[in-house]
Amino acid sequence: MIRCGTDIVEIDRIKAAVTGVTGFFDKVFADCEIEYFRQNGKRYEILAGFYAAKEAFSKYLQTGIRGFSLRDVSVDHEPSGAPFIRFFGEKQEVSLSISHNKTTAIATVCGKSFVGVDKDTAKKMSGLLPVRKSGGNKGDFGRITVVAGSKGMTGAAVLSAYSALRTGSGLVTLLTAESERAIAAAYRAEIMTGGLSCENGIITADAAERVIEFANKSDAVVFGPGLGQSDGVFEVLSRLIREYDGNLVIDADGLNALSKNPEILKDKSCKIILTPHPGEMSRLAKKTIEGIQNDRKNCAEQFAAEYDVTIVLKGEGTVVTAPGEESYINETGNVGMATAGSGDVLSGMIASLAGQGLGAFDAAALGVYLHGLAGDIAADEKTVYGVVAGDIAEKVPDAFKLILFE
């Protein structure tokens, strides 16, 4: 991703400041700039260009002149004469262009987005990416079923399904309460939808047959985002755990249902990935949230070992663990991702990767990493205050780019 900053300055304005404002010259311009100005005929268009470059660099940073002075940003020159930016004396990996006419000077600074990746981790994660075979069709890249949504909560369902598509799945079907199906279908044309028996906008136990029918044609299933809470949700989940033999990602209200009786996990026929936040983990493990947060890695590992599942314990430093695997502590992501729907996006991403052939642990680790990276890219563009869950889903392709071309 490329970021740019541009500024334009009136030459006479800079001349007036230099000649008429005490201390302006030495306060604004660095020694190398002053020397260049003096060696090149004391032409004020030079200083105007330098000033514009300083402002353009601050716009590139998206900070304005805060936390540093104009003098901390300086224009220096290569032996060839090409200008470049120094920031606190350090040469910056940005491109600088300065131009002027008789009245104005303009400068543009362009460079990479500030979202960076640890090269070793990026290389490891890129090695996990599913291969997209030439000539493949949509059926070759994972069929995903998302069981999600209830009255007033269709957004969670769509975010999960759409994120699966954005992560590479060829076919995604969203099964939701029949009363809400039309609403869900209106969000995205790419998502196929199906209705489930429901009462008051929440699926009933009778929905199990259709859920299992679709699941058996799928490479991975997401169960839970926005489903609501009822005995019917628990009954459908219980049957799915016992009768489905693919990859099952349980999230949100699926976890709330599971917390009624986690022992049903011991009767599973499928590979299960649980994606709890600390509150959900507290209900599953019957521990306090404080106890979970004070010992995140061990709590996740103990539960994963007891029930032979993959755990994604969300939060700062998300823990991904499974029996026989070295736990992965994620370093991507930011506080802007603490927003409604962010977890729904993650559930769809993990299911997508599992449906494309990754093992449960690898799908979870890669999904968490890419999810955080997409959130970092979104925050870089919109700030941590402005990120919403849909932004994370939209930035997944850019997250792929960062690790593919690092």
Side-chain angles (χ1 to χ4, degrees), residues 168-330:
S169 294
L171 291 162
V172 178
T173 300
L174 170 59
L175 299 181
T176 193
E178 177 59 44
S179 61
E180 315 306 311
R181 190 197 65 77
I183 297 172
Y187 280 98
R188 297 292 317 194
E190 304 94 336
I191 301 170
M192 297 179 290
T193 60
L196 299 173
S197 63
C198 62
E199 186 175 322
N200 298 321
I202 300 177
I203 66 170
T204 63
D206 294 338
E209 291 295 337
R210 191 159 199 224
V211 168
I212 292 169
E213 176 189 351
F214 273 82
N216 286 336
K217 300 174 184 177
S218 303
D219 299 295
V221 173
V222 178
F223 187 94
L227 265 182
Q229 299 183 48
S230 70
D231 290 341
V233 172
F234 177 78
E235 292 301 321
V236 175
L237 177 61
S238 298
R239 286 196 56 186
L240 192 58
I241 287 172
R242 292 195 308 270
E243 299 178 36
Y244 175 53
D245 64 359
N247 301 281
L248 176 59
V249 179
I250 304 176
D251 183 42
D253 285 324
L255 295 170
N256 290 328
L258 182 63
S259 66
K260 295 179 181 180
N261 182 15
E263 294 300 308
I264 63 175
L265 292 171
K266 295 180 178 178
D267 293 329
K268 63 183 175 298
S269 297
C270 48
K271 294 175 283 293
I272 291 180
I273 302 169
L274 307 181
T275 60
H277 58 55
E280 292 160 343
M281 191 72 210
S282 171
R283 292 189 285 275
L284 285 170
K286 313 304 180 188
K287 296 180 180 181
T288 65
I289 294 176
E290 183 180 12
I292 298 292
Q293 291 294 73
N294 288 339
D295 197 19
R296 287 170 54 83
K297 183 171 177 287
N298 284 333
C299 286
E301 289 176 344
Q302 289 169 9
F303 194 92
E306 181 176 356
Y307 292 101
D308 189 27
V309 295
T310 298
I311 292 285
V312 175
L313 178 54
K314 297 182 290 195
E316 185 177 12
T318 292
V319 179
V320 182
T321 190
E325 300 285 355
E326 182 180 352
S327 296
Y328 167 68
I329 310 299
N330 190 52

Side-chain angles (χ1 to χ4, degrees), residues 8-15 44-45 48-49 99-106:
I8 187 167
V9 174
E10 293 178 354
I11 296 171
D12 284 347
R13 176 186 165 207
I14 297 301
K15 181 178 180 179
Y44 286 96
E45 63 265 30
S99 188
H100 60 80
N101 59 20
K102 291 182 179 180
T103 60
T104 56
I106 186 169

Side-chain angles (χ1 to χ4, degrees), residues 28-49:
V28 170
F29 297 103
D31 291 343
C32 63
E33 294 171 317
I34 294 171
E35 183 64 22
Y36 188 89
F37 169 67
R38 287 172 174 164
Q39 288 182 0
N40 288 272
K42 294 185 178 180
R43 293 179 289 117
Y44 286 96
E45 63 265 30
I46 292 174
L47 294 185

Side-chain angles (χ1 to χ4, degrees), residues 83-101:
F84 64 87
I85 293 286
R86 290 191 187 276
F87 189 40
F88 289 101
E90 296 292 326
K91 184 178 181 180
Q92 301 299 296
E93 295 297 323
V94 297
S95 174
L96 169 63
S97 176
I98 302 175
S99 188
H100 60 80
N101 59 20

Side-chain angles (χ1 to χ4, degrees), residues 336-357:
M337 299 174 71
T339 184
S342 179
D344 305 319
V345 170
L346 177 61
S347 66
M349 293 178 68
I350 292 173
S352 176
L353 293 166
Q356 291 175 68

